[in-house]
mmCIF file of all heavy atoms in Angstrom:
data_model
loop_
_atom_site.group_PDB
_atom_site.id
_atom_site.type_symbol
_atom_site.label_atom_id
_atom_site.label_comp_id
_atom_site.label_asym_id
_atom_site.label_seq_id
_atom_site.Cartn_x
_atom_site.Cartn_y
_atom_site.Cartn_z
ATOM 1 N N ALA O 283 0.849 -1.203 -0.015
ATOM 2 C CA ALA O 283 -0.008 -0.004 0.014
ATOM 3 C C ALA O 283 0.871 1.238 -0.017
ATOM 4 O O ALA O 283 1.804 1.337 0.786
ATOM 5 C CB ALA O 283 -0.901 0.001 1.206
ATOM 6 N N SER O 284 0.619 2.151 -0.920
ATOM 7 C CA SER O 284 1.328 3.403 -0.960
ATOM 8 C C SER O 284 0.575 4.379 -1.845
ATOM 9 O O SER O 284 -0.331 3.970 -2.619
ATOM 10 C CB SER O 284 2.749 3.219 -1.437
ATOM 11 O OG SER O 284 2.794 2.687 -2.725
ATOM 12 N N GLY O 285 0.901 5.648 -1.710
ATOM 13 C CA GLY O 285 0.313 6.656 -2.529
ATOM 14 C C GLY O 285 -1.041 7.213 -2.136
ATOM 15 O O GLY O 285 -1.663 7.966 -2.880
ATOM 16 N N THR O 286 -1.494 6.892 -0.960
ATOM 17 C CA THR O 286 -2.826 7.368 -0.519
ATOM 18 C C THR O 286 -2.816 8.758 0.081
ATOM 19 O O THR O 286 -3.858 9.371 0.233
ATOM 20 C CB THR O 286 -3.456 6.396 0.514
ATOM 21 O OG1 THR O 286 -2.517 6.247 1.629
ATOM 22 C CG2 THR O 286 -3.701 5.052 -0.097
ATOM 23 N N CYS O 287 -1.659 9.273 0.434
ATOM 24 C CA CYS O 287 -1.498 10.667 0.999
ATOM 25 C C CYS O 287 -0.391 11.347 0.214
ATOM 26 O O CYS O 287 0.646 11.771 0.801
ATOM 27 C CB CYS O 287 -1.201 10.604 2.471
ATOM 28 S SG CYS O 287 -2.456 9.876 3.494
ATOM 29 N N ALA O 288 -0.499 11.485 -1.070
ATOM 30 C CA ALA O 288 0.571 11.908 -1.922
ATOM 31 C C ALA O 288 1.196 13.252 -1.511
ATOM 32 O O ALA O 288 0.528 14.169 -1.129
ATOM 33 C CB ALA O 288 0.101 11.987 -3.365
ATOM 34 N N MET O 289 2.522 13.317 -1.681
ATOM 35 C CA MET O 289 3.251 14.574 -1.499
ATOM 36 C C MET O 289 3.197 15.292 -2.822
ATOM 37 O O MET O 289 3.994 15.075 -3.742
ATOM 38 C CB MET O 289 4.714 14.342 -1.081
ATOM 39 C CG MET O 289 5.447 15.631 -0.874
ATOM 40 S SD MET O 289 7.211 15.557 -0.502
ATOM 41 C CE MET O 289 7.625 13.897 -0.358
ATOM 42 N N LEU O 290 2.239 16.185 -2.926
ATOM 43 C CA LEU O 290 2.030 16.963 -4.130
ATOM 44 C C LEU O 290 1.465 18.337 -3.652
ATOM 45 O O LEU O 290 1.007 18.442 -2.524
ATOM 46 C CB LEU O 290 0.953 16.326 -5.004
ATOM 47 C CG LEU O 290 1.308 15.016 -5.754
ATOM 48 C CD1 LEU O 290 0.057 14.390 -6.367
ATOM 49 C CD2 LEU O 290 2.334 15.323 -6.834
ATOM 50 N N PRO O 291 1.456 19.336 -4.545
ATOM 51 C CA PRO O 291 0.815 20.574 -4.165
ATOM 52 C C PRO O 291 -0.655 20.298 -3.831
ATOM 53 O O PRO O 291 -1.311 19.412 -4.485
ATOM 54 C CB PRO O 291 0.945 21.431 -5.416
ATOM 55 C CG PRO O 291 2.175 20.917 -6.094
ATOM 56 C CD PRO O 291 2.143 19.411 -5.827
ATOM 57 N N LYS O 292 -1.193 21.013 -2.871
ATOM 58 C CA LYS O 292 -2.598 20.830 -2.425
ATOM 59 C C LYS O 292 -3.545 20.922 -3.652
ATOM 60 O O LYS O 292 -4.514 20.165 -3.748
ATOM 61 C CB LYS O 292 -2.930 21.815 -1.386
ATOM 62 C CG LYS O 292 -4.269 21.588 -0.718
ATOM 63 C CD LYS O 292 -4.499 22.552 0.399
ATOM 64 C CE LYS O 292 -5.814 22.337 1.044
ATOM 65 N NZ LYS O 292 -6.051 23.281 2.150
ATOM 66 N N GLU O 293 -3.230 21.873 -4.559
ATOM 67 C CA GLU O 293 -4.118 22.100 -5.718
ATOM 68 C C GLU O 293 -4.138 20.878 -6.657
ATOM 69 O O GLU O 293 -5.071 20.721 -7.433
ATOM 70 C CB GLU O 293 -3.624 23.286 -6.525
ATOM 71 C CG GLU O 293 -3.419 24.561 -5.772
ATOM 72 C CD GLU O 293 -2.187 24.615 -4.920
ATOM 73 O OE1 GLU O 293 -1.081 24.269 -5.427
ATOM 74 O OE2 GLU O 293 -2.267 25.003 -3.760
ATOM 75 N N GLN O 294 -3.154 20.021 -6.573
ATOM 76 C CA GLN O 294 -3.107 18.826 -7.404
ATOM 77 C C GLN O 294 -3.594 17.598 -6.633
ATOM 78 O O GLN O 294 -3.391 16.456 -7.085
ATOM 79 C CB GLN O 294 -1.683 18.578 -7.885
ATOM 80 C CG GLN O 294 -1.226 19.630 -8.870
ATOM 81 C CD GLN O 294 0.208 19.385 -9.323
ATOM 82 O OE1 GLN O 294 0.769 18.328 -9.129
ATOM 83 N NE2 GLN O 294 0.795 20.394 -9.955
ATOM 84 N N GLY O 295 -4.209 17.808 -5.483
ATOM 85 C CA GLY O 295 -4.727 16.689 -4.701
ATOM 86 C C GLY O 295 -3.791 16.116 -3.686
ATOM 87 O O GLY O 295 -4.063 15.074 -3.069
ATOM 88 N N GLY O 296 -2.650 16.840 -3.440
ATOM 89 C CA GLY O 296 -1.671 16.379 -2.467
ATOM 90 C C GLY O 296 -2.245 16.497 -1.038
ATOM 91 O O GLY O 296 -3.129 17.252 -0.751
ATOM 92 N N VAL O 297 -1.627 15.676 -0.171
ATOM 93 C CA VAL O 297 -2.021 15.650 1.256
ATOM 94 C C VAL O 297 -0.895 16.228 2.121
ATOM 95 O O VAL O 297 -1.172 16.829 3.142
ATOM 96 C CB VAL O 297 -2.328 14.204 1.695
ATOM 97 C CG1 VAL O 297 -2.646 14.144 3.154
ATOM 98 C CG2 VAL O 297 -3.507 13.684 0.886
ATOM 99 N N VAL O 298 0.357 16.096 1.716
ATOM 100 C CA VAL O 298 1.468 16.633 2.461
ATOM 101 C C VAL O 298 2.363 17.513 1.537
ATOM 102 O O VAL O 298 2.444 17.313 0.333
ATOM 103 C CB VAL O 298 2.347 15.507 3.116
ATOM 104 C CG1 VAL O 298 1.558 14.697 4.085
ATOM 105 C CG2 VAL O 298 2.983 14.651 2.059
ATOM 106 N N ASP O 299 3.043 18.461 2.213
ATOM 107 C CA ASP O 299 3.977 19.330 1.469
ATOM 108 C C ASP O 299 5.365 18.708 1.474
ATOM 109 O O ASP O 299 5.564 17.588 1.928
ATOM 110 C CB ASP O 299 3.960 20.754 2.048
ATOM 111 C CG ASP O 299 4.511 20.821 3.478
ATOM 112 O OD1 ASP O 299 5.157 19.855 3.968
ATOM 113 O OD2 ASP O 299 4.333 21.850 4.094
ATOM 114 N N ASP O 300 6.333 19.428 0.935
ATOM 115 C CA ASP O 300 7.686 18.914 0.772
ATOM 116 C C ASP O 300 8.436 18.818 2.127
ATOM 117 O O ASP O 300 9.553 18.322 2.123
ATOM 118 C CB ASP O 300 8.519 19.718 -0.234
ATOM 119 C CG ASP O 300 8.721 21.151 0.180
ATOM 120 O OD1 ASP O 300 8.182 21.626 1.185
ATOM 121 O OD2 ASP O 300 9.469 21.872 -0.527
ATOM 122 N N GLN O 301 7.818 19.299 3.231
ATOM 123 C CA GLN O 301 8.343 19.124 4.548
ATOM 124 C C GLN O 301 7.606 18.013 5.298
ATOM 125 O O GLN O 301 7.730 17.915 6.536
ATOM 126 C CB GLN O 301 8.305 20.442 5.303
ATOM 127 C CG GLN O 301 9.152 21.565 4.654
ATOM 128 C CD GLN O 301 10.632 21.205 4.668
ATOM 129 O OE1 GLN O 301 11.206 21.010 5.694
ATOM 130 N NE2 GLN O 301 11.226 21.103 3.485
ATOM 131 N N LEU O 302 6.804 17.263 4.603
ATOM 132 C CA LEU O 302 6.043 16.139 5.117
ATOM 133 C C LEU O 302 4.893 16.565 6.048
ATOM 134 O O LEU O 302 4.309 15.687 6.723
ATOM 135 C CB LEU O 302 6.949 15.122 5.837
ATOM 136 C CG LEU O 302 8.204 14.687 5.071
ATOM 137 C CD1 LEU O 302 9.060 13.806 5.940
ATOM 138 C CD2 LEU O 302 7.834 14.023 3.781
ATOM 139 N N ARG O 303 4.546 17.828 6.043
ATOM 140 C CA ARG O 303 3.444 18.364 6.886
ATOM 141 C C ARG O 303 2.100 18.144 6.186
ATOM 142 O O ARG O 303 1.954 18.406 4.991
ATOM 143 C CB ARG O 303 3.666 19.810 7.180
ATOM 144 C CG ARG O 303 4.944 20.108 7.956
ATOM 145 C CD ARG O 303 5.198 21.593 8.080
ATOM 146 N NE ARG O 303 5.388 22.132 6.696
ATOM 147 C CZ ARG O 303 6.176 23.213 6.447
ATOM 148 N NH1 ARG O 303 6.792 23.808 7.423
ATOM 149 N NH2 ARG O 303 6.300 23.611 5.249
ATOM 150 N N VAL O 304 1.126 17.751 6.927
ATOM 151 C CA VAL O 304 -0.231 17.534 6.416
ATOM 152 C C VAL O 304 -0.896 18.890 6.234
ATOM 153 O O VAL O 304 -0.914 19.698 7.149
ATOM 154 C CB VAL O 304 -1.045 16.613 7.343
ATOM 155 C CG1 VAL O 304 -2.461 16.479 6.800
ATOM 156 C CG2 VAL O 304 -0.401 15.270 7.500
ATOM 157 N N TYR O 305 -1.413 19.121 5.018
ATOM 158 C CA TYR O 305 -2.092 20.403 4.774
ATOM 159 C C TYR O 305 -3.267 20.550 5.703
ATOM 160 O O TYR O 305 -4.064 19.641 5.905
ATOM 161 C CB TYR O 305 -2.611 20.433 3.325
ATOM 162 C CG TYR O 305 -1.516 20.447 2.272
ATOM 163 C CD1 TYR O 305 -1.452 19.433 1.324
ATOM 164 C CD2 TYR O 305 -0.619 21.523 2.209
ATOM 165 C CE1 TYR O 305 -0.458 19.469 0.364
ATOM 166 C CE2 TYR O 305 0.393 21.546 1.236
ATOM 167 C CZ TYR O 305 0.459 20.540 0.322
ATOM 168 O OH TYR O 305 1.418 20.547 -0.653
ATOM 169 N N GLY O 306 -3.364 21.718 6.368
ATOM 170 C CA GLY O 306 -4.509 22.037 7.212
ATOM 171 C C GLY O 306 -4.480 21.461 8.614
ATOM 172 O O GLY O 306 -5.435 21.594 9.380
ATOM 173 N N VAL O 307 -3.418 20.758 9.005
ATOM 174 C CA VAL O 307 -3.291 20.103 10.327
ATOM 175 C C VAL O 307 -1.962 20.586 10.881
ATOM 176 O O VAL O 307 -0.885 20.294 10.313
ATOM 177 C CB VAL O 307 -3.386 18.599 10.262
ATOM 178 C CG1 VAL O 307 -3.283 17.989 11.641
ATOM 179 C CG2 VAL O 307 -4.661 18.166 9.588
ATOM 180 N N GLU O 308 -1.970 21.235 12.042
ATOM 181 C CA GLU O 308 -0.748 21.629 12.674
ATOM 182 C C GLU O 308 -0.045 20.495 13.359
ATOM 183 O O GLU O 308 -0.661 19.600 13.945
ATOM 184 C CB GLU O 308 -1.059 22.747 13.695
ATOM 185 C CG GLU O 308 -1.446 24.084 13.065
ATOM 186 C CD GLU O 308 -1.534 25.175 14.115
ATOM 187 O OE1 GLU O 308 -0.761 25.236 15.074
ATOM 188 O OE2 GLU O 308 -2.475 25.982 13.932
ATOM 189 N N LYS O 309 1.292 20.523 13.284
ATOM 190 C CA LYS O 309 2.153 19.580 13.992
ATOM 191 C C LYS O 309 1.928 18.114 13.662
ATOM 192 O O LYS O 309 2.038 17.242 14.521
ATOM 193 C CB LYS O 309 2.096 19.811 15.504
ATOM 194 C CG LYS O 309 2.502 21.231 15.930
ATOM 195 C CD LYS O 309 2.481 21.394 17.404
ATOM 196 C CE LYS O 309 2.875 22.820 17.736
ATOM 197 N NZ LYS O 309 2.930 23.025 19.178
ATOM 198 N N LEU O 310 1.560 17.864 12.406
ATOM 199 C CA LEU O 310 1.391 16.476 11.999
ATOM 200 C C LEU O 310 2.140 16.285 10.690
ATOM 201 O O LEU O 310 1.990 17.024 9.730
ATOM 202 C CB LEU O 310 -0.073 16.137 11.764
ATOM 203 C CG LEU O 310 -0.369 14.719 11.270
ATOM 204 C CD1 LEU O 310 0.112 13.674 12.310
ATOM 205 C CD2 LEU O 310 -1.861 14.529 10.986
ATOM 206 N N ARG O 311 3.023 15.312 10.680
ATOM 207 C CA ARG O 311 3.760 14.878 9.496
ATOM 208 C C ARG O 311 3.483 13.445 9.182
ATOM 209 O O ARG O 311 3.227 12.662 10.087
ATOM 210 C CB ARG O 311 5.265 15.091 9.682
ATOM 211 C CG ARG O 311 5.691 16.528 9.908
ATOM 212 C CD ARG O 311 7.158 16.611 10.184
ATOM 213 N NE ARG O 311 7.576 17.860 10.759
ATOM 214 C CZ ARG O 311 8.119 18.863 10.084
ATOM 215 N NH1 ARG O 311 8.422 18.734 8.822
ATOM 216 N NH2 ARG O 311 8.453 19.981 10.663
ATOM 217 N N ILE O 312 3.617 13.077 7.926
ATOM 218 C CA ILE O 312 3.477 11.694 7.535
ATOM 219 C C ILE O 312 4.799 11.211 6.990
ATOM 220 O O ILE O 312 5.371 11.853 6.098
ATOM 221 C CB ILE O 312 2.342 11.510 6.493
ATOM 222 C CG1 ILE O 312 0.994 11.921 7.043
ATOM 223 C CG2 ILE O 312 2.329 10.052 5.994
ATOM 224 C CD1 ILE O 312 -0.118 11.837 6.049
ATOM 225 N N VAL O 313 5.265 10.114 7.527
ATOM 226 C CA VAL O 313 6.572 9.550 7.101
ATOM 227 C C VAL O 313 6.387 8.066 6.832
ATOM 228 O O VAL O 313 6.750 7.173 7.628
ATOM 229 C CB VAL O 313 7.656 9.773 8.170
ATOM 230 C CG1 VAL O 313 9.024 9.256 7.686
ATOM 231 C CG2 VAL O 313 7.783 11.239 8.506
ATOM 232 N N ASP O 314 5.738 7.771 5.719
ATOM 233 C CA ASP O 314 5.600 6.368 5.304
ATOM 234 C C ASP O 314 5.311 6.354 3.818
ATOM 235 O O ASP O 314 5.240 7.387 3.162
ATOM 236 C CB ASP O 314 4.488 5.615 6.107
ATOM 237 C CG ASP O 314 3.098 6.205 5.931
ATOM 238 O OD1 ASP O 314 2.847 6.860 4.913
ATOM 239 O OD2 ASP O 314 2.233 5.961 6.794
ATOM 240 N N THR O 315 5.099 5.209 3.256
ATOM 241 C CA THR O 315 4.934 5.100 1.813
ATOM 242 C C THR O 315 3.665 5.708 1.296
ATOM 243 O O THR O 315 3.517 5.896 0.055
ATOM 244 C CB THR O 315 5.003 3.624 1.339
ATOM 245 O OG1 THR O 315 3.932 2.924 1.988
ATOM 246 C CG2 THR O 315 6.317 2.998 1.634
ATOM 247 N N SER O 316 2.737 6.101 2.138
ATOM 248 C CA SER O 316 1.503 6.734 1.665
ATOM 249 C C SER O 316 1.803 8.080 0.986
ATOM 250 O O SER O 316 0.962 8.552 0.238
ATOM 251 C CB SER O 316 0.501 6.888 2.797
ATOM 252 O OG SER O 316 0.950 7.794 3.730
ATOM 253 N N ILE O 317 2.979 8.701 1.274
ATOM 254 C CA ILE O 317 3.248 10.010 0.664
ATOM 255 C C ILE O 317 3.809 9.889 -0.706
ATOM 256 O O ILE O 317 3.961 10.911 -1.409
ATOM 257 C CB ILE O 317 4.155 10.886 1.561
ATOM 258 C CG1 ILE O 317 5.577 10.337 1.591
ATOM 259 C CG2 ILE O 317 3.573 11.080 2.926
ATOM 260 C CD1 ILE O 317 6.586 11.373 2.087
ATOM 261 N N PHE O 318 4.171 8.718 -1.173
ATOM 262 C CA PHE O 318 4.756 8.585 -2.513
ATOM 263 C C PHE O 318 3.695 8.919 -3.549
ATOM 264 O O PHE O 318 2.655 8.276 -3.595
ATOM 265 C CB PHE O 318 5.254 7.146 -2.751
ATOM 266 C CG PHE O 318 6.395 6.706 -1.861
ATOM 267 C CD1 PHE O 318 6.831 5.420 -1.920
ATOM 268 C CD2 PHE O 318 7.084 7.572 -1.029
ATOM 269 C CE1 PHE O 318 7.879 4.978 -1.127
ATOM 270 C CE2 PHE O 318 8.120 7.135 -0.240
ATOM 271 C CZ PHE O 318 8.524 5.861 -0.274
ATOM 272 N N PRO O 319 3.982 9.893 -4.419
ATOM 273 C CA PRO O 319 2.988 10.232 -5.438
ATOM 274 C C PRO O 319 2.841 9.202 -6.515
ATOM 275 O O PRO O 319 1.830 9.075 -7.175
ATOM 276 C CB PRO O 319 3.450 11.569 -6.029
ATOM 277 C CG PRO O 319 4.913 11.607 -5.702
ATOM 278 C CD PRO O 319 5.144 10.825 -4.458
ATOM 279 N N ILE O 320 3.874 8.378 -6.681
ATOM 280 C CA ILE O 320 3.925 7.271 -7.627
ATOM 281 C C ILE O 320 4.388 6.012 -6.910
ATOM 282 O O ILE O 320 5.376 6.036 -6.180
ATOM 283 C CB ILE O 320 4.829 7.555 -8.813
ATOM 284 C CG1 ILE O 320 4.360 8.816 -9.585
ATOM 285 C CG2 ILE O 320 4.909 6.396 -9.761
ATOM 286 C CD1 ILE O 320 5.364 9.342 -10.582
ATOM 287 N N ILE O 321 3.663 4.910 -7.068
ATOM 288 C CA ILE O 321 4.052 3.672 -6.407
ATOM 289 C C ILE O 321 5.337 3.157 -7.028
ATOM 290 O O ILE O 321 5.407 3.026 -8.277
ATOM 291 C CB ILE O 321 2.950 2.613 -6.505
ATOM 292 C CG1 ILE O 321 1.687 3.134 -5.815
ATOM 293 C CG2 ILE O 321 3.376 1.313 -5.933
ATOM 294 C CD1 ILE O 321 0.425 2.306 -6.054
ATOM 295 N N PRO O 322 6.383 2.895 -6.215
ATOM 296 C CA PRO O 322 7.647 2.386 -6.783
ATOM 297 C C PRO O 322 7.439 1.048 -7.509
ATOM 298 O O PRO O 322 6.563 0.259 -7.144
ATOM 299 C CB PRO O 322 8.536 2.189 -5.567
ATOM 300 C CG PRO O 322 7.905 2.997 -4.463
ATOM 301 C CD PRO O 322 6.446 3.046 -4.771
ATOM 302 N N ASP O 323 8.252 0.790 -8.547
ATOM 303 C CA ASP O 323 8.128 -0.471 -9.264
ATOM 304 C C ASP O 323 9.064 -1.498 -8.697
ATOM 305 O O ASP O 323 9.557 -2.378 -9.379
ATOM 306 C CB ASP O 323 8.392 -0.260 -10.781
ATOM 307 C CG ASP O 323 9.810 0.209 -11.032
ATOM 308 O OD1 ASP O 323 10.542 0.598 -10.094
ATOM 309 O OD2 ASP O 323 10.198 0.245 -12.207
#
């Protein structure tokens, strides 16, 4: 499982920014494969 909280700009449907911070939630970062915008092969 990966890619469910993609690190992308919010306008493109991203959930976290390039500092791993969740958009709209203070003091929460995601550090797992859910932030991968593309599932590794």
Side-chain angles (χ1 to χ4, degrees):
S284 60
T286 57
C287 298
M289 181 184 355
L290 291 169
K292 188 176 181 181
E293 306 78 46
Q294 293 179 13
V297 176
V298 299
D299 65 14
D300 64 353
Q301 298 296 300
L302 311 175
R303 297 174 297 211
V304 177
Y305 294 119
V307 181
E308 289 187 37
K309 300 183 180 183
L310 178 63
R311 296 178 196 255
I312 297 177
V313 182
D314 64 21
T315 60
S316 67
I317 71 163
F318 295 173
I320 299 170
I321 298 171
D323 64 349

